[in-house]
């Protein structure tokens, strides 16, 4: 019979405007020292992984192991770590821009509205129906020639 695997996730509360690199450096230490400490403390039977940005857009720790006790110890160490770096993560909120520019707002030229030239060969004007009720049809060459003659 296979042993049960215990799994827990601990989310990192960091500002959305902060880069994943900055958050990682604060949460894990210069050379992932804090993560190494947690892994050494719980032993090789328990996996502790740091995911910089998951599907939800937030960083998190994933802890898996056969022993519920070591998984709980790892989660407790992670929670202690996050409590210890909370102020540093809050500083990122102050340093990071308070808002990100939306892709639709990238162009500051809000008053720009492209003009459409609806006459000429590229944008032929709609012709009124003929007395018989059908649209008058011209070959592309005839339309182009009439456009040139009109002086537009």
């Amino acid at each position: 019979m296979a042993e049960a695997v215990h799994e827990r996730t601990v989310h990192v509360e960091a500002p959305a405007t902060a880069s994943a690199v900055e958050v990682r450096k604060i949460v894990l230490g210069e050379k992932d020292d804090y993560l190494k400490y947690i892994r050494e403390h719980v032993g090789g039977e328990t996996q502790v992984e740091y995911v910089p940005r998951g599907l939800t857009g937030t960083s998190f720790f994933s802890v898996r192991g056969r022993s519920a006790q070591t998984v709980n110890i790892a989660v407790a160490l992670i929670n202690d770590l996050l409590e210890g770096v909370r102020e540093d993560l809050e500083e990122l909120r102050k340093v990071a821009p308070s808002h990100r520019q939306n892709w639709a707002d990238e162009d500051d030229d809000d008053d720009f509205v492209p003009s459409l030239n609806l006459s000429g060969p590229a944008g032929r004007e709609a012709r009124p129906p003929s007395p018989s009720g059908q649209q008058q049809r011209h070959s592309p060459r005839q339309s182009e020639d009439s456009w040139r003659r009109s002086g537009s």
Side-chain angles (χ1 to χ4, degrees):
M1 183 171 179
E3 288 184 51
V5 175
H6 302 275
E7 185 170 355
R8 303 259 315 261
T9 301
V10 181
H11 291 274
V12 177
E13 300 294 327
T17 55
S19 77
V21 173
E22 292 170 322
V23 173
R24 181 183 187 102
K25 187 175 178 181
I26 289 172
V27 172
L28 301 183
E30 269 310 306
K31 297 180 180 177
D32 293 354
D33 293 330
Y34 303 146
L35 181 61
K36 290 174 187 173
Y37 172 81
I38 293 169
R39 286 177 176 163
E40 288 171 4
H41 196 74
V42 296
E45 293 291 316
T46 302
Q47 296 175 350
V48 180
E49 299 298 324
Y50 176 78
V51 180
R53 296 265 167 122
L55 294 175
T56 62
T58 60
S59 303
F60 63 92
F61 285 90
S62 174
V63 183
R64 296 180 62 166
R66 298 193 189 283
S67 165
Q69 182 180 2
T70 57
V71 168
N72 290 336
I73 290 170
V75 168
L77 288 170
I78 292 167
N79 286 329
D80 286 346
L81 168 65
L82 294 176
E83 182 64 33
V85 298
R86 181 185 307 180
E87 288 180 17
D88 294 332
L89 291 173
E90 281 300 314
E91 283 296 314
L92 289 180
R93 188 178 315 278
K94 294 174 186 174
V95 172
S98 61
H99 68 282
R100 286 190 176 183
Q101 191 172 26
N102 190 340
W103 66 268
D105 296 335
E106 288 176 357
D107 188 5
D108 290 337
D109 203 4
D110 291 342
D111 298 332
F112 175 75
V113 177
S115 62
L116 298 175
N117 181 1
L118 297 178
S119 61
R124 292 182 190 82
E125 290 181 353
R127 301 198 187 282
S130 66
S132 66
Q134 293 195 4
Q135 185 85 11
Q136 295 177 355
R137 297 185 187 259
H138 298 285
S139 72
R141 184 72 185 155
Q142 287 173 327
S143 296
E144 189 174 314
D145 291 341
S146 65
W147 175 74
R148 286 188 181 144
R149 278 190 300 245
S150 70
S152 297

